[in-house]
PDB file of all heavy atoms in Angstrom:
ATOM      1  N   GLY A  14       0.796  -1.225   0.007  1.00 92.00           N
ATOM      2  CA  GLY A  14       0.002  -0.004  -0.012  1.00 92.00           C
ATOM      3  C   GLY A  14       0.840   1.270  -0.017  1.00 92.00           C
ATOM      4  O   GLY A  14       2.073   1.245   0.108  1.00 92.00           O
ATOM      5  N   SER A  15       0.113   2.411  -0.061  1.00 94.00           N
ATOM      6  CA  SER A  15       0.804   3.704  -0.184  1.00 94.00           C
ATOM      7  C   SER A  15       1.553   4.069   1.075  1.00 94.00           C
ATOM      8  O   SER A  15       2.434   4.919   1.064  1.00 94.00           O
ATOM      9  CB  SER A  15      -0.235   4.776  -0.513  1.00 94.00           C
ATOM     10  OG  SER A  15      -1.216   4.857   0.522  1.00 94.00           O
ATOM     11  N   PHE A  16       1.190   3.473   2.244  1.00 92.00           N
ATOM     12  CA  PHE A  16       1.899   3.768   3.477  1.00 92.00           C
ATOM     13  C   PHE A  16       3.114   2.854   3.689  1.00 92.00           C
ATOM     14  O   PHE A  16       3.778   2.922   4.706  1.00 92.00           O
ATOM     15  CB  PHE A  16       0.930   3.646   4.666  1.00 92.00           C
ATOM     16  CG  PHE A  16       0.112   4.869   4.930  1.00 92.00           C
ATOM     17  CD1 PHE A  16      -0.706   5.354   3.918  1.00 92.00           C
ATOM     18  CD2 PHE A  16       0.180   5.572   6.100  1.00 92.00           C
ATOM     19  CE1 PHE A  16      -1.481   6.504   4.115  1.00 92.00           C
ATOM     20  CE2 PHE A  16      -0.564   6.713   6.309  1.00 92.00           C
ATOM     21  CZ  PHE A  16      -1.393   7.182   5.315  1.00 92.00           C
ATOM     22  N   ARG A  17       3.373   2.011   2.690  1.00 87.00           N
ATOM     23  CA  ARG A  17       4.541   1.148   2.738  1.00 87.00           C
ATOM     24  C   ARG A  17       5.266   1.258   1.386  1.00 87.00           C
ATOM     25  O   ARG A  17       4.790   1.864   0.461  1.00 87.00           O
ATOM     26  CB  ARG A  17       4.146  -0.302   2.994  1.00 87.00           C
ATOM     27  CG  ARG A  17       3.358  -0.514   4.266  1.00 87.00           C
ATOM     28  CD  ARG A  17       2.884  -1.938   4.374  1.00 87.00           C
ATOM     29  NE  ARG A  17       1.989  -2.130   5.484  1.00 87.00           N
ATOM     30  CZ  ARG A  17       2.355  -2.475   6.708  1.00 87.00           C
ATOM     31  NH1 ARG A  17       3.653  -2.684   6.955  1.00 87.00           N
ATOM     32  NH2 ARG A  17       1.500  -2.634   7.688  1.00 87.00           N
ATOM     33  N   THR A  18       6.403   0.636   1.292  1.00 76.00           N
ATOM     34  CA  THR A  18       7.101   0.559   0.012  1.00 76.00           C
ATOM     35  C   THR A  18       6.579  -0.621  -0.784  1.00 76.00           C
ATOM     36  O   THR A  18       6.234  -1.641  -0.210  1.00 76.00           O
ATOM     37  CB  THR A  18       8.614   0.462   0.185  1.00 76.00           C
ATOM     38  OG1 THR A  18       9.202   0.300  -1.109  1.00 76.00           O
ATOM     39  CG2 THR A  18       8.989  -0.738   1.028  1.00 76.00           C
ATOM     40  N   TYR A  19       6.526  -0.493  -2.080  1.00 78.00           N
ATOM     41  CA  TYR A  19       6.198  -1.647  -2.915  1.00 78.00           C
ATOM     42  C   TYR A  19       7.430  -2.245  -3.545  1.00 78.00           C
ATOM     43  O   TYR A  19       7.363  -2.927  -4.540  1.00 78.00           O
ATOM     44  CB  TYR A  19       5.139  -1.327  -3.973  1.00 78.00           C
ATOM     45  CG  TYR A  19       5.432  -0.139  -4.858  1.00 78.00           C
ATOM     46  CD1 TYR A  19       6.044  -0.283  -6.102  1.00 78.00           C
ATOM     47  CD2 TYR A  19       5.074   1.158  -4.470  1.00 78.00           C
ATOM     48  CE1 TYR A  19       6.306   0.797  -6.903  1.00 78.00           C
ATOM     49  CE2 TYR A  19       5.327   2.240  -5.273  1.00 78.00           C
ATOM     50  CZ  TYR A  19       5.926   2.046  -6.496  1.00 78.00           C
ATOM     51  OH  TYR A  19       6.180   3.143  -7.284  1.00 78.00           O
ATOM     52  N   GLU A  20       8.564  -1.991  -2.939  1.00 82.00           N
ATOM     53  CA  GLU A  20       9.831  -2.617  -3.375  1.00 82.00           C
ATOM     54  C   GLU A  20      10.186  -3.728  -2.365  1.00 82.00           C
ATOM     55  O   GLU A  20      10.243  -3.476  -1.164  1.00 82.00           O
ATOM     56  CB  GLU A  20      10.967  -1.605  -3.404  1.00 82.00           C
ATOM     57  CG  GLU A  20      10.939  -0.739  -4.637  1.00 82.00           C
ATOM     58  CD  GLU A  20      12.249   0.006  -4.809  1.00 82.00           C
ATOM     59  OE1 GLU A  20      12.872   0.366  -3.804  1.00 82.00           O
ATOM     60  OE2 GLU A  20      12.629   0.228  -5.966  1.00 82.00           O
ATOM     61  N   LYS A  21      10.355  -4.927  -2.898  1.00 81.00           N
ATOM     62  CA  LYS A  21      10.705  -6.042  -2.038  1.00 81.00           C
ATOM     63  C   LYS A  21      11.726  -6.914  -2.751  1.00 81.00           C
ATOM     64  O   LYS A  21      11.834  -6.882  -3.976  1.00 81.00           O
ATOM     65  CB  LYS A  21       9.455  -6.865  -1.712  1.00 81.00           C
ATOM     66  CG  LYS A  21       8.472  -6.152  -0.778  1.00 81.00           C
ATOM     67  CD  LYS A  21       7.292  -7.032  -0.486  1.00 81.00           C
ATOM     68  CE  LYS A  21       6.416  -6.398   0.609  1.00 81.00           C
ATOM     69  NZ  LYS A  21       5.930  -5.080   0.251  1.00 81.00           N
ATOM     70  N   GLY A  22      12.472  -7.690  -1.969  1.00 82.00           N
ATOM     71  CA  GLY A  22      13.381  -8.665  -2.527  1.00 82.00           C
ATOM     72  C   GLY A  22      14.418  -8.085  -3.492  1.00 82.00           C
ATOM     73  O   GLY A  22      15.152  -7.157  -3.150  1.00 82.00           O
ATOM     74  N   ASP A  23      14.411  -8.630  -4.694  1.00 85.00           N
ATOM     75  CA  ASP A  23      15.398  -8.228  -5.686  1.00 85.00           C
ATOM     76  C   ASP A  23      15.273  -6.769  -6.105  1.00 85.00           C
ATOM     77  O   ASP A  23      16.262  -6.143  -6.482  1.00 85.00           O
ATOM     78  CB  ASP A  23      15.298  -9.128  -6.922  1.00 85.00           C
ATOM     79  CG  ASP A  23      15.714 -10.570  -6.643  1.00 85.00           C
ATOM     80  OD1 ASP A  23      16.416 -10.780  -5.639  1.00 85.00           O
ATOM     81  OD2 ASP A  23      15.325 -11.464  -7.440  1.00 85.00           O
ATOM     82  N   LEU A  24      14.053  -6.228  -6.046  1.00 86.00           N
ATOM     83  CA  LEU A  24      13.863  -4.815  -6.433  1.00 86.00           C
ATOM     84  C   LEU A  24      14.634  -3.892  -5.497  1.00 86.00           C
ATOM     85  O   LEU A  24      15.156  -2.864  -5.919  1.00 86.00           O
ATOM     86  CB  LEU A  24      12.382  -4.458  -6.402  1.00 86.00           C
ATOM     87  CG  LEU A  24      11.589  -4.646  -7.698  1.00 86.00           C
ATOM     88  CD1 LEU A  24      10.132  -4.245  -7.485  1.00 86.00           C
ATOM     89  CD2 LEU A  24      12.201  -3.824  -8.833  1.00 86.00           C
ATOM     90  N   VAL A  25      14.671  -4.221  -4.210  1.00 89.00           N
ATOM     91  CA  VAL A  25      15.410  -3.404  -3.240  1.00 89.00           C
ATOM     92  C   VAL A  25      16.879  -3.372  -3.628  1.00 89.00           C
ATOM     93  O   VAL A  25      17.524  -2.320  -3.646  1.00 89.00           O
ATOM     94  CB  VAL A  25      15.213  -3.936  -1.810  1.00 89.00           C
ATOM     95  CG1 VAL A  25      16.066  -3.123  -0.838  1.00 89.00           C
ATOM     96  CG2 VAL A  25      13.748  -3.839  -1.420  1.00 89.00           C
ATOM     97  N   THR A  26      17.412  -4.556  -3.932  1.00 89.00           N
ATOM     98  CA  THR A  26      18.826  -4.635  -4.320  1.00 89.00           C
ATOM     99  C   THR A  26      19.084  -3.888  -5.630  1.00 89.00           C
ATOM    100  O   THR A  26      20.037  -3.139  -5.747  1.00 89.00           O
ATOM    101  CB  THR A  26      19.229  -6.112  -4.512  1.00 89.00           C
ATOM    102  OG1 THR A  26      18.986  -6.817  -3.275  1.00 89.00           O
ATOM    103  CG2 THR A  26      20.687  -6.242  -4.877  1.00 89.00           C
ATOM    104  N   TYR A  27      18.191  -4.099  -6.624  1.00 89.00           N
ATOM    105  CA  TYR A  27      18.387  -3.507  -7.930  1.00 89.00           C
ATOM    106  C   TYR A  27      18.353  -1.983  -7.886  1.00 89.00           C
ATOM    107  O   TYR A  27      19.092  -1.302  -8.564  1.00 89.00           O
ATOM    108  CB  TYR A  27      17.286  -4.019  -8.876  1.00 89.00           C
ATOM    109  CG  TYR A  27      17.422  -3.517 -10.291  1.00 89.00           C
ATOM    110  CD1 TYR A  27      18.433  -3.985 -11.111  1.00 89.00           C
ATOM    111  CD2 TYR A  27      16.552  -2.588 -10.813  1.00 89.00           C
ATOM    112  CE1 TYR A  27      18.569  -3.537 -12.412  1.00 89.00           C
ATOM    113  CE2 TYR A  27      16.672  -2.125 -12.129  1.00 89.00           C
ATOM    114  CZ  TYR A  27      17.683  -2.608 -12.919  1.00 89.00           C
ATOM    115  OH  TYR A  27      17.835  -2.160 -14.210  1.00 89.00           O
ATOM    116  N   ASN A  28      17.503  -1.419  -7.011  1.00 92.00           N
ATOM    117  CA  ASN A  28      17.338   0.037  -6.956  1.00 92.00           C
ATOM    118  C   ASN A  28      18.063   0.679  -5.795  1.00 92.00           C
ATOM    119  O   ASN A  28      17.914   1.892  -5.548  1.00 92.00           O
ATOM    120  CB  ASN A  28      15.842   0.393  -6.885  1.00 92.00           C
ATOM    121  CG  ASN A  28      15.132   0.104  -8.189  1.00 92.00           C
ATOM    122  OD1 ASN A  28      15.589   0.499  -9.278  1.00 92.00           O
ATOM    123  ND2 ASN A  28      14.009  -0.589  -8.121  1.00 92.00           N
ATOM    124  N   ALA A  29      18.890  -0.104  -5.078  1.00 93.00           N
ATOM    125  CA  ALA A  29      19.625   0.464  -3.949  1.00 93.00           C
ATOM    126  C   ALA A  29      20.540   1.598  -4.414  1.00 93.00           C
ATOM    127  O   ALA A  29      20.692   2.619  -3.716  1.00 93.00           O
ATOM    128  CB  ALA A  29      20.456  -0.630  -3.256  1.00 93.00           C
ATOM    129  N   CYS A  30      21.149   1.435  -5.566  1.00 95.00           N
ATOM    130  CA  CYS A  30      22.070   2.472  -6.078  1.00 95.00           C
ATOM    131  C   CYS A  30      21.331   3.788  -6.319  1.00 95.00           C
ATOM    132  O   CYS A  30      21.872   4.879  -6.096  1.00 95.00           O
ATOM    133  CB  CYS A  30      22.765   1.988  -7.341  1.00 95.00           C
ATOM    134  SG  CYS A  30      21.645   1.386  -8.621  1.00 95.00           S
ATOM    135  N   MET A  31      20.079   3.724  -6.799  1.00 95.00           N
ATOM    136  CA  MET A  31      19.332   4.946  -7.062  1.00 95.00           C
ATOM    137  C   MET A  31      18.927   5.622  -5.757  1.00 95.00           C
ATOM    138  O   MET A  31      18.826   6.858  -5.673  1.00 95.00           O
ATOM    139  CB  MET A  31      18.103   4.653  -7.900  1.00 95.00           C
ATOM    140  CG  MET A  31      18.426   4.207  -9.307  1.00 95.00           C
ATOM    141  SD  MET A  31      19.535   5.355 -10.203  1.00 95.00           S
ATOM    142  CE  MET A  31      20.948   4.293 -10.493  1.00 95.00           C
ATOM    143  N   LYS A  32      18.676   4.813  -4.725  1.00 94.00           N
ATOM    144  CA  LYS A  32      18.377   5.386  -3.410  1.00 94.00           C
ATOM    145  C   LYS A  32      19.593   6.176  -2.896  1.00 94.00           C
ATOM    146  O   LYS A  32      19.438   7.259  -2.303  1.00 94.00           O
ATOM    147  CB  LYS A  32      17.993   4.314  -2.409  1.00 94.00           C
ATOM    148  CG  LYS A  32      17.607   4.872  -1.032  1.00 94.00           C
ATOM    149  CD  LYS A  32      17.261   3.780  -0.049  1.00 94.00           C
ATOM    150  CE  LYS A  32      16.781   4.372   1.259  1.00 94.00           C
ATOM    151  NZ  LYS A  32      17.755   5.287   1.888  1.00 94.00           N
ATOM    152  N   ILE A  33      20.768   5.636  -3.158  1.00 96.00           N
ATOM    153  CA  ILE A  33      21.974   6.343  -2.726  1.00 96.00           C
ATOM    154  C   ILE A  33      22.119   7.661  -3.509  1.00 96.00           C
ATOM    155  O   ILE A  33      22.397   8.715  -2.929  1.00 96.00           O
ATOM    156  CB  ILE A  33      23.217   5.450  -2.924  1.00 96.00           C
ATOM    157  CG1 ILE A  33      23.174   4.277  -1.919  1.00 96.00           C
ATOM    158  CG2 ILE A  33      24.509   6.262  -2.741  1.00 96.00           C
ATOM    159  CD1 ILE A  33      24.300   3.291  -2.071  1.00 96.00           C
ATOM    160  N   TYR A  34      21.915   7.624  -4.829  1.00 96.00           N
ATOM    161  CA  TYR A  34      21.945   8.840  -5.623  1.00 96.00           C
ATOM    162  C   TYR A  34      20.954   9.869  -5.057  1.00 96.00           C
ATOM    163  O   TYR A  34      21.258  11.069  -4.947  1.00 96.00           O
ATOM    164  CB  TYR A  34      21.615   8.551  -7.068  1.00 96.00           C
ATOM    165  CG  TYR A  34      22.770   8.206  -7.960  1.00 96.00           C
ATOM    166  CD1 TYR A  34      22.759   7.051  -8.717  1.00 96.00           C
ATOM    167  CD2 TYR A  34      23.879   9.059  -8.078  1.00 96.00           C
ATOM    168  CE1 TYR A  34      23.830   6.716  -9.548  1.00 96.00           C
ATOM    169  CE2 TYR A  34      24.944   8.737  -8.891  1.00 96.00           C
ATOM    170  CZ  TYR A  34      24.917   7.566  -9.637  1.00 96.00           C
ATOM    171  OH  TYR A  34      25.961   7.280 -10.469  1.00 96.00           O
ATOM    172  N   LYS A  35      19.758   9.400  -4.775  1.00 95.00           N
ATOM    173  CA  LYS A  35      18.711  10.287  -4.262  1.00 95.00           C
ATOM    174  C   LYS A  35      19.121  10.885  -2.926  1.00 95.00           C
ATOM    175  O   LYS A  35      18.937  12.099  -2.664  1.00 95.00           O
ATOM    176  CB  LYS A  35      17.388   9.512  -4.129  1.00 95.00           C
ATOM    177  CG  LYS A  35      16.171  10.352  -3.754  1.00 95.00           C
ATOM    178  CD  LYS A  35      14.921   9.482  -3.827  1.00 95.00           C
ATOM    179  CE  LYS A  35      13.658  10.292  -3.544  1.00 95.00           C
ATOM    180  NZ  LYS A  35      13.580  10.745  -2.152  1.00 95.00           N
ATOM    181  N   ASP A  36      19.707  10.073  -2.050  1.00 95.00           N
ATOM    182  CA  ASP A  36      20.131  10.578  -0.751  1.00 95.00           C
ATOM    183  C   ASP A  36      21.280  11.579  -0.871  1.00 95.00           C
ATOM    184  O   ASP A  36      21.382  12.550  -0.106  1.00 95.00           O
ATOM    185  CB  ASP A  36      20.559   9.402   0.134  1.00 95.00           C
ATOM    186  CG  ASP A  36      19.372   8.594   0.641  1.00 95.00           C
ATOM    187  OD1 ASP A  36      18.224   9.082   0.483  1.00 95.00           O
ATOM    188  OD2 ASP A  36      19.576   7.471   1.156  1.00 95.00           O
ATOM    189  N   ILE A  37      22.173  11.351  -1.832  1.00 96.00           N
ATOM    190  CA  ILE A  37      23.251  12.357  -2.078  1.00 96.00           C
ATOM    191  C   ILE A  37      22.647  13.635  -2.541  1.00 96.00           C
ATOM    192  O   ILE A  37      23.002  14.735  -2.067  1.00 96.00           O
ATOM    193  CB  ILE A  37      24.254  11.806  -3.130  1.00 96.00           C
ATOM    194  CG1 ILE A  37      24.999  10.575  -2.607  1.00 96.00           C
ATOM    195  CG2 ILE A  37      25.240  12.904  -3.519  1.00 96.00           C
ATOM    196  CD1 ILE A  37      25.839   9.891  -3.671  1.00 96.00           C
ATOM    197  N   ASP A  38      21.702  13.573  -3.491  1.00 94.00           N
ATOM    198  CA  ASP A  38      21.045  14.784  -3.997  1.00 94.00           C
ATOM    199  C   ASP A  38      20.318  15.537  -2.893  1.00 94.00           C
ATOM    200  O   ASP A  38      20.328  16.772  -2.866  1.00 94.00           O
ATOM    201  CB  ASP A  38      20.056  14.389  -5.113  1.00 94.00           C
ATOM    202  CG  ASP A  38      19.269  15.561  -5.625  1.00 94.00           C
ATOM    203  OD1 ASP A  38      19.880  16.536  -6.076  1.00 94.00           O
ATOM    204  OD2 ASP A  38      18.025  15.515  -5.533  1.00 94.00           O
ATOM    205  N   GLU A  39      19.693  14.821  -1.940  1.00 93.00           N
ATOM    206  CA  GLU A  39      18.928  15.465  -0.873  1.00 93.00           C
ATOM    207  C   GLU A  39      19.799  15.811   0.331  1.00 93.00           C
ATOM    208  O   GLU A  39      19.278  16.305   1.323  1.00 93.00           O
ATOM    209  CB  GLU A  39      17.784  14.537  -0.450  1.00 93.00           C
ATOM    210  CG  GLU A  39      16.755  14.335  -1.567  1.00 93.00           C
ATOM    211  CD  GLU A  39      15.682  13.314  -1.202  1.00 93.00           C
ATOM    212  OE1 GLU A  39      15.847  12.667  -0.141  1.00 93.00           O
ATOM    213  OE2 GLU A  39      14.714  13.183  -1.953  1.00 93.00           O
ATOM    214  N   GLY A  40      21.111  15.612   0.234  1.00 93.00           N
ATOM    215  CA  GLY A  40      22.025  15.995   1.310  1.00 93.00           C
ATOM    216  C   GLY A  40      22.051  15.034   2.477  1.00 93.00           C
ATOM    217  O   GLY A  40      22.604  15.343   3.535  1.00 93.00           O
ATOM    218  N   LYS A  41      21.483  13.839   2.312  1.00 94.00           N
ATOM    219  CA  LYS A  41      21.494  12.840   3.403  1.00 94.00           C
ATOM    220  C   LYS A  41      22.828  12.067   3.464  1.00 94.00           C
ATOM    221  O   LYS A  41      23.152  11.501   4.486  1.00 94.00           O
ATOM    222  CB  LYS A  41      20.347  11.857   3.234  1.00 94.00           C
ATOM    223  CG  LYS A  41      18.968  12.513   3.327  1.00 94.00           C
ATOM    224  CD  LYS A  41      17.850  11.520   3.036  1.00 94.00           C
ATOM    225  CE  LYS A  41      16.497  12.198   3.076  1.00 94.00           C
ATOM    226  NZ  LYS A  41      15.393  11.251   2.740  1.00 94.00           N
ATOM    227  N   ILE A  42      23.553  12.057   2.350  1.00 95.00           N
ATOM    228  CA  ILE A  42      24.866  11.468   2.279  1.00 95.00           C
ATOM    229  C   ILE A  42      25.822  12.544   1.799  1.00 95.00           C
ATOM    230  O   ILE A  42      25.577  13.188   0.773  1.00 95.00           O
ATOM    231  CB  ILE A  42      24.912  10.259   1.317  1.00 95.00           C
ATOM    232  CG1 ILE A  42      23.990   9.141   1.807  1.00 95.00           C
ATOM    233  CG2 ILE A  42      26.313   9.739   1.170  1.00 95.00           C
ATOM    234  CD1 ILE A  42      23.858   7.990   0.837  1.00 95.00           C
ATOM    235  N   HIS A  43      26.900  12.745   2.549  1.00 94.00           N
ATOM    236  CA  HIS A  43      27.887  13.780   2.193  1.00 94.00           C
ATOM    237  C   HIS A  43      29.166  13.098   1.655  1.00 94.00           C
ATOM    238  O   HIS A  43      29.738  12.245   2.336  1.00 94.00           O
ATOM    239  CB  HIS A  43      28.228  14.634   3.409  1.00 94.00           C
ATOM    240  CG  HIS A  43      27.035  15.362   3.941  1.00 94.00           C
ATOM    241  ND1 HIS A  43      26.533  16.501   3.353  1.00 94.00           N
ATOM    242  CD2 HIS A  43      26.240  15.082   5.018  1.00 94.00           C
ATOM    243  CE1 HIS A  43      25.465  16.930   4.053  1.00 94.00           C
ATOM    244  NE2 HIS A  43      25.278  16.090   5.064  1.00 94.00           N
ATOM    245  N   LEU A  44      29.558  13.505   0.468  1.00 95.00           N
ATOM    246  CA  LEU A  44      30.751  12.911  -0.161  1.00 95.00           C
ATOM    247  C   LEU A  44      31.991  13.677   0.220  1.00 95.00           C
ATOM    248  O   LEU A  44      31.949  14.924   0.379  1.00 95.00           O
ATOM    249  CB  LEU A  44      30.573  12.929  -1.683  1.00 95.00           C
ATOM    250  CG  LEU A  44      29.404  12.124  -2.269  1.00 95.00           C
ATOM    251  CD1 LEU A  44      29.341  12.315  -3.782  1.00 95.00           C
ATOM    252  CD2 LEU A  44      29.544  10.645  -1.911  1.00 95.00           C
ATOM    253  N   PRO A  45      33.123  12.983   0.346  1.00 93.00           N
ATOM    254  CA  PRO A  45      34.366  13.675   0.670  1.00 93.00           C
ATOM    255  C   PRO A  45      35.047  14.325  -0.530  1.00 93.00           C
ATOM    256  O   PRO A  45      36.131  14.868  -0.401  1.00 93.00           O
ATOM    257  CB  PRO A  45      35.239  12.541   1.245  1.00 93.00           C
ATOM    258  CG  PRO A  45      34.749  11.315   0.545  1.00 93.00           C
ATOM    259  CD  PRO A  45      33.285  11.526   0.329  1.00 93.00           C
ATOM    260  N   SER A  46      34.409  14.255  -1.676  1.00 93.00           N
ATOM    261  CA  SER A  46      34.998  14.800  -2.894  1.00 93.00           C
ATOM    262  C   SER A  46      33.884  15.326  -3.807  1.00 93.00           C
ATOM    263  O   SER A  46      32.748  14.866  -3.742  1.00 93.00           O
ATOM    264  CB  SER A  46      35.803  13.721  -3.627  1.00 93.00           C
ATOM    265  OG  SER A  46      36.200  14.155  -4.909  1.00 93.00           O
ATOM    266  N   SER A  47      34.236  16.301  -4.652  1.00 95.00           N
ATOM    267  CA  SER A  47      33.253  16.818  -5.612  1.00 95.00           C
ATOM    268  C   SER A  47      33.219  15.989  -6.892  1.00 95.00           C
ATOM    269  O   SER A  47      32.423  16.271  -7.802  1.00 95.00           O
ATOM    270  CB  SER A  47      33.587  18.260  -5.945  1.00 95.00           C
ATOM    271  OG  SER A  47      34.878  18.367  -6.530  1.00 95.00           O
ATOM    272  N   SER A  48      34.093  14.968  -6.983  1.00 96.00           N
ATOM    273  CA  SER A  48      34.090  14.053  -8.131  1.00 96.00           C
ATOM    274  C   SER A  48      33.697  12.663  -7.665  1.00 96.00           C
ATOM    275  O   SER A  48      34.240  12.164  -6.687  1.00 96.00           O
ATOM    276  CB  SER A  48      35.473  13.990  -8.784  1.00 96.00           C
ATOM    277  OG  SER A  48      35.804  15.261  -9.352  1.00 96.00           O
ATOM    278  N   LEU A  49      32.737  12.105  -8.345  1.00 97.00           N
ATOM    279  CA  LEU A  49      32.245  10.770  -8.002  1.00 97.00           C
ATOM    280  C   LEU A  49      32.423   9.870  -9.234  1.00 97.00           C
ATOM    281  O   LEU A  49      31.795  10.086 -10.275  1.00 97.00           O
ATOM    282  CB  LEU A  49      30.787  10.831  -7.571  1.00 97.00           C
ATOM    283  CG  LEU A  49      30.148   9.483  -7.176  1.00 97.00           C
ATOM    284  CD1 LEU A  49      30.825   8.926  -5.919  1.00 97.00           C
ATOM    285  CD2 LEU A  49      28.653   9.643  -6.933  1.00 97.00           C
ATOM    286  N   TYR A  50      33.280   8.871  -9.124  1.00 96.00           N
ATOM    287  CA  TYR A  50      33.512   7.963 -10.243  1.00 96.00           C
ATOM    288  C   TYR A  50      32.502   6.811 -10.170  1.00 96.00           C
ATOM    289  O   TYR A  50      32.108   6.357  -9.098  1.00 96.00           O
ATOM    290  CB  TYR A  50      34.941   7.397 -10.157  1.00 96.00           C
ATOM    291  CG  TYR A  50      36.020   8.404 -10.427  1.00 96.00           C
ATOM    292  CD1 TYR A  50      36.467   9.264  -9.434  1.00 96.00           C
ATOM    293  CD2 TYR A  50      36.592   8.504 -11.702  1.00 96.00           C
ATOM    294  CE1 TYR A  50      37.449  10.206  -9.669  1.00 96.00           C
ATOM    295  CE2 TYR A  50      37.599   9.421 -11.967  1.00 96.00           C
ATOM    296  CZ  TYR A  50      38.024  10.280 -10.944  1.00 96.00           C
ATOM    297  OH  TYR A  50      39.011  11.202 -11.206  1.00 96.00           O
ATOM    298  N   THR A  51      32.098   6.369 -11.342  1.00 95.00           N
ATOM    299  CA  THR A  51      31.243   5.173 -11.408  1.00 95.00           C
ATOM    300  C   THR A  51      31.593   4.401 -12.663  1.00 95.00           C
ATOM    301  O   THR A  51      32.202   4.944 -13.601  1.00 95.00           O
ATOM    302  CB  THR A  51      29.745   5.571 -11.382  1.00 95.00           C
ATOM    303  OG1 THR A  51      28.965   4.397 -11.204  1.00 95.00           O
ATOM    304  CG2 THR A  51      29.338   6.252 -12.672  1.00 95.00           C
ATOM    305  N   LEU A  52      31.250   3.143 -12.693  1.00 94.00           N
ATOM    306  CA  LEU A  52      31.675   2.269 -13.748  1.00 94.00           C
ATOM    307  C   LEU A  52      30.744   2.375 -14.958  1.00 94.00           C
ATOM    308  O   LEU A  52      29.509   2.282 -14.817  1.00 94.00           O
ATOM    309  CB  LEU A  52      31.729   0.804 -13.269  1.00 94.00           C
ATOM    310  CG  LEU A  52      32.542   0.540 -12.004  1.00 94.00           C
ATOM    311  CD1 LEU A  52      32.576  -0.960 -11.705  1.00 94.00           C
ATOM    312  CD2 LEU A  52      33.938   1.113 -12.139  1.00 94.00           C
ATOM    313  N   GLY A  53      31.320   2.517 -16.130  1.00 91.00           N
ATOM    314  CA  GLY A  53      30.561   2.687 -17.346  1.00 91.00           C
ATOM    315  C   GLY A  53      29.633   1.515 -17.661  1.00 91.00           C
ATOM    316  O   GLY A  53      28.538   1.707 -18.172  1.00 91.00           O
TER     317      GLY A  53
END
């Protein structure tokens, strides 16, 4: 339902990286550098 997440199991793992991006954007995660490398 709307008061819970509809992500479970493999979806949580698959979208974990986007949650991190979102948290960086919202200031919940602070990076020690202004450059962030990621694999192509």
Side-chain angles (χ1 to χ4, degrees):
S15 60
F16 276 59
R17 303 175 187 269
T18 176
Y19 52 95
E20 281 194 328
K21 290 180 171 60
D23 292 341
L24 269 179
V25 176
T26 302
Y27 183 72
N28 290 311
C30 51
M31 293 306 118
K32 183 182 184 302
I33 292 176
Y34 270 127
K35 186 172 184 292
D36 287 347
I37 295 172
D38 175 58
E39 294 174 352
K41 297 176 183 177
I42 297 174
H43 298 282
L44 299 176
S46 170
S47 60
S48 294
L49 180 65
Y50 291 83
T51 191
L52 307 185

